[in-house]
Amino acid sequence: MYGQNNQKRKRFYKKSIWPSIGMFVFFTISCVGLVLTFMVSFQGYLVDSKIADIQEDAVSLGRLMNLHMKNKTIFEAASFVEVYLSDDKDLCITDEHNQVLRHFGQTVPDFEQTEHILVFAPLRVLTPYELMPDLDWKKKHKDSVSKLTFQEILKRSMEALLDSSFEDSKWLETPLYQEYYWVEIPINKQGYHMYYRDALVIAQKNVFYMNIAVFAELILLGVPTVLLFFNVCSSISMQRHMVNLLYQDPVTGGKNWNYFLEQSKKILCQFRNTKYTYAIVNLHMIRYQDYCACNGSREGEALLKKIDGFLQISMDSGETFARFGKADFGLLLRSTSKEQCEKRLKKMLVELTGIKKDKMMSFSAGIYLLHPAANRKGQRRRQINIDQVYHFACAARGTMRGKDGEYLKVFDQQILQEQLWKNKVEETMEAALLNGEFKLYLQPKFDPVTEKIVGAEALVRWISPEDGMIPPNRFIPVFEENGFITKLDDYMILAVAKLQSEWKLKGQKQVPVSVNISRVNFVKEDLAEHICHLVDSYGADHAGIELELTESAVFGNKERLMQILKELKMCGFSISMDDFGAGYSSLNSLKDLPIDVLKLDMDFFRGEDEQQRGEIVVKETIRLAQALHLKIVAEGIEKKEQVEFLAEQGCDMIQGFYFAKPMPVEEFNERIKRDC
């Protein structure tokens, strides 16, 4: 379950932040690409258009030359055409080997040295480096090139835009880049080539317009980019806030259990931590519910906050903790040995007892150790289920219940076996109930005088195909803890009702059979109606079924318990109290509860003083029960002397190994037939 939740959280984080970041990065790269593409395209277009103009002039000159060469020589035609050219443009005529035959103008070409020849195609494309005006270029015609810097051009451009006036715009026509080329003129004269010299000029207005376009593009693209940037920042802030909420404990304000699971896994998987012994600790405050009942829930929460603050101060680097639930905290502690860990925890428990100055607190802790020897290179720690390991620590602490003076317990192999058995029971109990693996056994109750069967107690035995006969003390405590005991109680009531119905149909002797009702059942509002429905489903007589409750069931809502017992008696059921004398309020129970049968606890008949003080207590208890018109059942009787003593005192029924052990229903039927 934790793994699934962790994957869901990771997917949530990705969905919440990565789309925004991805969109921002994609849009930013796209914007930069668009700007660079525009600049390169604009430069290429500008150079290509200038060269195209030069070549167009060359074509026009070629047409003019071809027209004049019909009546004149090539040299005469060139002299005539040269008149129409400006002063900065020169002409030359070469032979087929590009040897200059004649030139017109001031510049004599040297075609062996120069590379600036255009033959109806661009020789090269100017680079951005060549177009940047604030770089110190080496130009052939420095006198004709403006010395305005790029900052000055931009400044004038902005001033012109703000003033909405371009009156003083002659500076825009100033050449920013100028290079001369010899361009071939297409003529129809074999053995001759003709060239004219022209300038490729990049004016400042060209760069100005490009800058304006780039500036506008940056504004158009920059606004959504800035908005996306703020959206990403907002998403990151929101995600951090949500992560804090996901990892915050609502009671203490500290970290919650999800944080502990993820952080513990992260710490344990780090290679540098493999040399340490780590302890997963279940820290529990004893009687927290009693504290809240006396001081209120707000005081209880305030106490938990103090504990959280104390633990926060106590944690070292590479350790973590969080509240698990109610007054339980999970700790991940680092140490070099088991002894050091136990010593540190004992000190923490002592300090926690004084966390409230006006009251002594009690704490206990269960420990699960992760030794470095079992985690070579940290490989196995990656497979550790932190949640399960923590519950192992809880199981270790649970073994100390009822043991005074014990507040610290380390999880060991025996506890592991018990935990594995508990898990196995919980995994198979539902199927076992459906498959009928729980069998009804009966232990007879005998009249101490006639020694004949006068009743029986219904007991359950689990006969597993895999484990064979499983004694009740191996599974009943597990059922009581997880609540499955209510289903088992219903199963046993149905089994006894079915047995009583079969006895009735066969005309066999019927004896009352007692069935134990767990204290968990007494929280049901309709318990009496529910039991009646179960018994009536087989048509059994209510009088033949005796319902047993232990004295521990009295510790709860006593008024509700009395109401339920009265309803059961009105339905015709007998009520018995099991293990009388094992608790501390037996006399109050006799006074208040509407019971019919009293079962004496077997401990009265054990111990060194059983022939003296034990007999006095049993004798007076029987006399008291007789005065209250209650029947007495003595259980756990194993000796003949005990039977004789009880018969002499007027005990109604005896149950124990002296007469018979619990037996299957078939054997009980044979036994009761012999008594008849």
Side-chain angles (χ1 to χ4, degrees):
M1 180 64 71
Y2 160 68
Q4 295 177 356
N5 292 336
N6 189 31
Q7 292 298 325
K8 289 180 180 179
R9 282 194 295 273
K10 289 182 178 179
R11 287 197 297 269
F12 169 75
Y13 296 157
K14 291 179 180 179
K15 289 180 180 179
S16 62
I17 186 63
W18 287 114
S20 299
I21 295 178
M23 183 179 294
F24 173 74
V25 173
F26 174 77
F27 191 79
T28 303
I29 294 175
S30 300
C31 291
V32 173
L34 286 173
V35 173
L36 292 177
T37 302
F38 172 79
M39 293 179 65
V40 173
S41 300
F42 184 86
Q43 295 167 18
Y45 168 76
L46 182 62
V47 174
D48 288 344
S49 64
K50 296 291 184 180
I51 293 176
D53 291 342
I54 296 174
Q55 290 180 340
E56 187 177 350
D57 292 341
V59 172
S60 299
L61 289 174
R63 291 173 183 171
L64 188 60
M65 284 290 296
N66 291 329
L67 181 62
H68 285 281
M69 282 191 301
K70 291 181 180 180
N71 302 319
K72 300 177 182 180
T73 63
I74 186 173
F75 299 105
E76 292 174 341
S79 298
F80 182 81
V81 171
E82 194 265 340
V83 176
Y84 295 95
L85 297 177
S86 59
D87 295 337
D88 60 340
K89 296 182 180 179
D90 301 322
L91 288 175
C92 75
I93 299 172
T94 67
D95 59 15
E96 58 184 1
H97 300 294
N98 272 347
Q99 294 295 323
V100 178
L101 302 177
R102 187 174 180 180
H103 73 276
F104 303 87
Q106 298 178 357
T107 304
V108 179
D110 184 3
F111 292 111
E112 293 182 358
Q113 299 296 326
T114 182
E115 295 179 356
H116 300 292
I117 301 177
L118 293 178
V119 188
F120 297 103
L123 180 65
R124 61 193 176 95
V125 177
L126 301 180
T127 64
Y129 174 82
E130 294 174 316
L131 290 176
M132 289 297 291
D134 52 352
L135 294 176
D136 185 17
W137 289 343
K138 294 182 179 179
K139 301 180 178 65
K140 294 183 179 179
H141 302 274
K142 295 182 180 179
D143 296 337
S144 62
V145 177
S146 172
K147 298 187 178 177
L148 290 175
T149 63
F150 176 75
Q151 288 81 359
E152 292 172 339
I153 295 174
L154 184 59
K155 180 180 179 182
R156 291 190 182 186
S157 303
M158 295 305 297
E159 289 175 350
L161 289 173
L162 293 174
D163 295 340
S164 299
S165 172
F166 288 89
E167 294 178 358
D168 186 19
S169 59
K170 293 181 179 179
W171 60 275
L172 292 174
E173 301 296 334
T174 306
L176 183 63
Y177 175 86
Q178 182 172 300
E179 188 69 79
Y180 285 90
Y181 294 90
W182 284 98
V183 184
E184 184 178 5
I185 299 173
I187 58 175
N188 298 326
K189 193 70 172 177
Q190 292 185 352
Y192 293 95
H193 295 281
M194 188 172 183
Y195 301 91
Y196 94 100
R197 184 172 177 267
D198 200 355
L200 191 152
V201 179
I202 305 296
Q204 292 186 3
K205 66 179 180 180
N206 301 127
V207 178
F208 168 72
Y209 293 144
M210 183 183 73
N211 291 336
I212 294 298
V214 171
F215 183 72
E217 188 176 14
L218 288 175
I219 292 177
L220 292 175
L221 298 177
V223 171
T225 303
V226 172
L227 292 177
L228 277 175
F229 175 75
F230 282 112
N231 179 60
V232 170
C233 293
S234 176
S235 299
I236 294 174
S237 177
M238 181 66 70
Q239 186 214 33
R240 289 181 177 177
H241 179 66
M242 296 183 71
V243 168
N244 289 334
L245 290 178
L246 287 171
Y247 285 146
Q248 187 178 47
D249 183 77
V251 177
T252 64
K255 300 301 183 181
N256 63 12
W257 193 243
N258 289 330
Y259 175 85
F260 179 79
L261 295 177
E262 294 187 15
Q263 188 67 14
S264 298
K265 192 75 173 179
K266 181 179 178 181
I267 292 173
L268 292 174
C269 288
Q270 292 177 353
F271 180 79
R272 62 184 180 183
N273 294 330
T274 56
K275 61 182 179 180
Y276 295 106
T277 295
Y278 275 90
I280 302 290
V281 181
N282 165 231
L283 179 66
H284 173 75
M285 177 182 172
I286 303 173
R287 292 185 293 275
Y288 172 73
Q289 294 291 351
D290 295 341
Y291 180 86
C292 292
C294 297
N295 301 278
S297 58
R298 288 188 178 181
E299 284 295 323
E301 292 181 359
L303 178 59
L304 293 178
K305 290 180 181 179
K306 282 191 174 183
I307 298 174
D308 187 276
F310 169 81
L311 294 176
Q312 189 171 359
I313 297 173
S314 303
M315 293 296 106
D316 294 333
S317 176
E319 299 178 341
T320 188
F321 79 98
R323 191 177 75 95
F324 176 74
K326 291 187 178 179
D328 285 85
F329 289 81
L331 285 67
L332 177 68
L333 302 181
R334 185 176 67 183
S335 60
T336 56
S337 64
K338 172 185 174 182
E339 292 73 18
Q340 181 190 13
C341 179
E342 290 182 351
K343 182 179 180 181
R344 181 182 175 188
L345 269 174
K346 287 179 181 179
K347 181 181 178 182
M348 290 176 63
L349 293 179
V350 171
E351 292 175 350
L352 281 170
T353 56
I355 197 168
K356 288 283 289 184
K357 295 181 180 180
D358 56 341
K359 189 172 183 178
M360 290 290 292
M361 301 294 173
S362 298
F363 293 83
S364 60
I367 308 171
Y368 186 94
L369 292 173
L370 299 172
H371 298 284
N375 302 283
R376 189 171 299 171
K377 294 186 179 180
Q379 295 296 324
R380 294 185 183 177
R381 283 185 175 174
R382 293 189 179 93
Q383 303 172 1
I384 291 175
N385 187 328
I386 303 296
D387 206 24
Q388 182 182 30
V389 167
Y390 175 77
H391 283 87
F392 284 159
C394 294
R397 184 185 58 79
T399 60
M400 297 185 294
R401 292 176 183 173
K403 298 180 180 179
D404 295 334
E406 191 174 0
Y407 300 99
L408 203 66
K409 183 69 175 179
V410 178
F411 188 85
D412 55 22
Q413 195 65 27
Q414 182 179 355
I415 299 175
L416 176 60
Q417 294 301 323
E418 290 295 327
Q419 187 67 30
L420 293 175
W421 170 253
K422 178 182 176 181
N423 294 340
K424 183 178 180 180
V425 168
E426 292 180 340
E427 289 173 358
T428 58
M429 60 188 183
E430 293 283 357
L433 188 64
L434 293 175
N435 297 334
E437 296 178 15
F438 295 103
K439 302 297 183 181
L440 173 64
Y441 271 55
L442 297 174
Q443 185 171 25
K445 298 176 183 178
F446 293 86
D447 186 312
V449 178
T450 63
E451 296 189 354
K452 290 186 176 182
I453 297 176
V454 292
E457 180 181 3
L459 302 172
V460 63
R461 295 293 184 268
W462 186 354
I463 303 178
S464 170
E466 181 181 351
D467 300 306
M469 176 76 76
I470 304 175
N473 62 349
R474 294 285 288 159
F475 60 87
I476 292 295
V478 180
F479 292 171
E480 289 178 342
E481 183 178 347
N482 61 30
F484 187 75
I485 191 67
T486 58
K487 293 185 178 181
L488 185 61
D489 286 352
D490 291 349
Y491 180 85
M492 294 298 293
I493 292 174
L494 285 171
V496 172
K498 180 181 179 181
L499 179 63
Q500 290 282 10
S501 178
E502 290 176 352
W503 285 347
K504 183 178 180 180
L505 290 175
K506 294 178 181 179
Q508 187 174 330
K509 177 183 177 181
Q510 292 180 258
V511 296
V513 179
S514 61
V515 185
N516 187 271
I517 304 296
S518 173
R519 61 177 295 179
V520 181
N521 278 294
F522 287 96
V523 300
K524 296 180 180 178
E525 295 290 335
D526 59 341
L527 180 61
E529 181 181 351
H530 177 70
I531 294 177
C532 287
H533 175 73
L534 294 175
V535 175
D536 293 341
S537 64
Y538 283 102
D541 295 333
H542 293 188
I545 298 178
E546 179 183 306
L547 303 176
E548 287 187 10
L549 69 151
T550 59
E551 194 178 17
S552 60
V554 180
F555 294 94
N557 191 338
K558 193 172 183 179
E559 294 181 357
R560 180 59 191 157
L561 175 63
M562 292 176 62
Q563 179 65 29
I564 293 175
L565 294 181
K566 288 179 181 179
E567 292 175 358
L568 290 171
K569 283 183 65 66
M570 290 177 62
C571 293
F573 296 104
S574 297
I575 308 297
S576 66
M577 177 178 286
D578 194 12
D579 295 333
F580 179 78
Y584 298 96
S585 59
S586 301
L587 294 179
N588 284 332
S589 301
L590 290 179
K591 177 176 69 71
D592 297 329
L593 299 180
I595 58 178
D596 303 295
V597 181
L598 202 63
K599 295 188 71 174
L600 293 178
D601 185 73
M602 63 181 68
D603 288 339
F604 282 127
F605 305 99
R606 295 176 181 173
E608 298 178 356
D609 297 331
E610 63 176 87
Q611 296 298 327
Q612 299 178 8
R613 303 182 65 175
E615 289 183 356
I616 294 174
V617 173
V618 171
K619 180 179 178 180
E620 295 302 320
T621 302
I622 294 175
R623 187 176 66 82
L624 178 61
Q626 291 172 343
L628 295 173
H629 305 289
L630 303 177
K631 290 185 178 181
I632 293 291
V633 178
E635 60 180 348
I637 304 304
E638 300 175 351
K639 298 179 181 179
K640 182 178 180 180
E641 294 79 7
Q642 295 172 342
V643 175
E644 293 174 349
F645 170 76
L646 292 169
E648 182 181 346
Q649 301 302 321
C651 181
D652 298 292
M653 289 172 279
I654 291 178
Q655 175 183 342
F657 285 0
Y658 175 77
F659 286 109
K661 296 180 179 180
M663 60 189 69
V665 173
E666 296 77 10
E667 185 178 340
F668 181 85
N669 289 336
E670 294 296 327
R671 184 73 178 264
I672 201 170
K673 286 179 182 178
R674 292 199 300 268
D675 285 351
C676 295

